[in-house]
């Protein structure tokens, strides 16, 4: 890769204002971390069933990440005490695992970050519990399409606004609301780094994408209004209008010709239904 500033030279373990540019060996490391996360998300497709508690799902994810020789990044992150965020139905993100059990018809996001050799693989997917309504399945499908349309725009010469615009266009075409209160982020040896990756925006605006940039895209799409409300636990975000919300997340890196998705599913379980 040409024209990069070595991450190490910029203080790789600190969040600075600058967008770090990573080299080929950093991409290999991100792939390793991303594949641990992706394989655990794959395995969770068999665990997510009516009657299972979200704390049991979290325990499974924890043990699977540790068994892979990785570290669950969320434990201890700003006081968070769990491996996963599990966000059901109208929960937008950062749902806290607990005794609540999944029930037929729920749609669920599970968000995991594994650390391998200091590198963070951050990804989330939606899961369908039993028989899910057509309306809810459509939201899940369109949200996945939003993520992938954003990723299609992730190439050198484009700008971050091109990604956000592609996501917003697709969501709003279906009369869905794009959440503004949470964004994607630079990722690497730092969990949440520059830049902020907005899931809405105008074409041709924002920082130019350059080979070596690594960030997440993680659109949260609501069946109703975009507005969110925080619960008193300080983590759980819900839709203000109690409409359903869905999210998918990948960690990606900009290459010379496009991008590499680090958290792609090794078994083709990209989106439900998971065979
Ligand atoms: N994985 C989430 C993200 O996509 C962050 C979760 S932080 C936690 O950025 F503390 F809530 F786990
Ligand atoms: Co993220
Ligand atoms: Co995440």
């Amino acid at each position: 890769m040409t024209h990069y500033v070595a991450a190490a030279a910029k203080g790789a373990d600190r969040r600075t204002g600058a967008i770090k540019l990573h080299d080929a060996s950093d991409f290999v490391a991100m792939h390793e971390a991303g594949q641990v996360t992706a394989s655990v998300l794959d395995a969770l497709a068999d665990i997510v069933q009516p009657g299972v508690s979200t704390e049991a799902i979290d325990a499974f994810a924890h043990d699977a990440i540790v068994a892979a020789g990785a570290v669950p990044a969320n434990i201890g992150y700003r006081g968070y005490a769990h491996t996963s965020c599990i966000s059901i139905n109208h929960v937008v993100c950062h749902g806290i695992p607990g005794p609540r059990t999944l029930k037929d018809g729920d749609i669920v996001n599970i968000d995991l970050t594994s650390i391998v050799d200091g590198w963070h693989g951050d990804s989330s997917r939606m899961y369908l519990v039993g028989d899910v309504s057509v309306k809810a399945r459509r939201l899940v499908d369109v949200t996945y399409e939003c993520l992938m349309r954003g990723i299609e725009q992730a190439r050198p010469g484009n700008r971050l606004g091109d990604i956000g615009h592609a996501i917003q266009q697709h969501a709003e075409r279906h009369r869905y609301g794009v959440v503004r209160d949470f964004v994607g982020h630079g990722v690497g040896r730092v969990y949440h780094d520059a830049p902020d990756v907005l899931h809405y925006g105008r074409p041709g605006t924002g920082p130019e994408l350059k080979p070596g940039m690594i960030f997440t895209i993680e659109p949260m799409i609501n069946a109703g209004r975009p507005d969110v409300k925080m619960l008193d636990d300080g983590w759980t975000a819900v839709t203000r209008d109690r409409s359903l919300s869905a999210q998918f997340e990948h960690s990606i890196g900009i290459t010379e010709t496009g991008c590499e998705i680090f958290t792609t599913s090794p078994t083709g379980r990209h989106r439900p239904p998971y065979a």
Side-chain angles (χ1 to χ4, degrees), residues 25-98:
S25 70
D26 301 339
F27 273 49
V28 171
M30 276 301 294
H31 176 83
E32 296 305 320
Q35 287 301 291
V36 170
T37 297
S39 56
V40 177
L41 290 173
D42 281 4
L44 284 171
D46 299 323
I47 302 301
V48 173
Q49 302 280 351
V52 69
S53 70
T54 54
E55 62 198 2
I57 294 171
D58 189 71
F60 179 92
H62 175 273
D63 293 351
I65 288 173
V66 170
V71 173
N74 291 338
I75 297 179
Y77 178 79
R78 296 186 180 213
Y80 196 77
H82 305 272
T83 296
S84 58
C85 298
I86 304 184
S87 304
I88 306 171
N89 296 336
H90 71 292
V91 178
V92 172
C93 64
H94 302 164
I96 302 173

Side-chain angles (χ1 to χ4, degrees), residues 74 77 80 85 94 111 113 122 185 191-192 218 235 249:
N74 291 338
Y77 178 79
Y80 196 77
C85 298
H94 302 164
D111 190 335
T113 301
D122 184 6
H185 50 91
Y191 189 176
H192 292 105
E218 48 182 299
W235 284 103
E249 173 176 24

Side-chain angles (χ1 to χ4, degrees), residues 55-233:
E55 62 198 2
I57 294 171
D58 189 71
F60 179 92
H62 175 273
D63 293 351
I65 288 173
V66 170
V71 173
N74 291 338
I75 297 179
Y77 178 79
R78 296 186 180 213
Y80 196 77
H82 305 272
T83 296
S84 58
C85 298
I86 304 184
S87 304
I88 306 171
N89 296 336
H90 71 292
V91 178
V92 172
C93 64
H94 302 164
I96 302 173
R100 173 172 178 174
T101 55
L102 301 181
K103 57 180 201 316
D104 194 64
D106 285 343
I107 61 169
V108 184
N109 175 276
I110 304 178
D111 190 335
L112 300 176
T113 301
S114 311
I115 308 175
V116 176
D117 289 337
W119 295 85
H120 294 71
D122 184 6
S123 184
S124 82
R125 291 183 209 155
M126 297 299 296
Y127 299 81
L128 308 179
V129 183
D131 279 325
V132 169
S133 72
V134 172
K135 242 175 63 179
R137 275 188 277 135
R138 197 172 60 105
L139 173 67
V140 170
D141 285 340
V142 171
T143 302
Y144 180 77
E145 291 160 10
C146 283
L147 170 60
M148 296 316 287
R149 282 172 185 242
I151 289 174
E152 275 172 30
Q153 296 299 317
R155 57 170 179 267
N158 268 6
R159 292 176 180 271
L160 272 181
D162 295 310
I163 294 174
H165 179 72
I167 293 167
Q168 181 179 15
Q169 281 261 99
H170 192 61
E172 292 181 352
R173 176 183 309 137
H174 291 269
R175 308 232 183 109
Y176 292 150
V178 177
V179 170
R180 310 298 206 260
D181 302 68
F182 299 93
V183 297
H185 50 91
V187 67
R189 276 185 278 193
V190 178
Y191 189 176
H192 292 105
D193 207 346
D196 286 342
V197 178
L198 280 53
H199 304 113
Y200 56 94
R202 293 155 59 91
T205 65
E208 189 180 326
L209 302 179
K210 297 198 164 71
M213 290 181 176
I214 297 179
F215 52 84
T216 73
I217 305 179
E218 48 182 299
M220 284 141 276
I221 305 297
N222 299 345
R225 305 282 312 157
D227 311 80
V228 313
K229 185 176 78 180
M230 291 297 299
L231 298 191
D232 290 336
D233 62 25

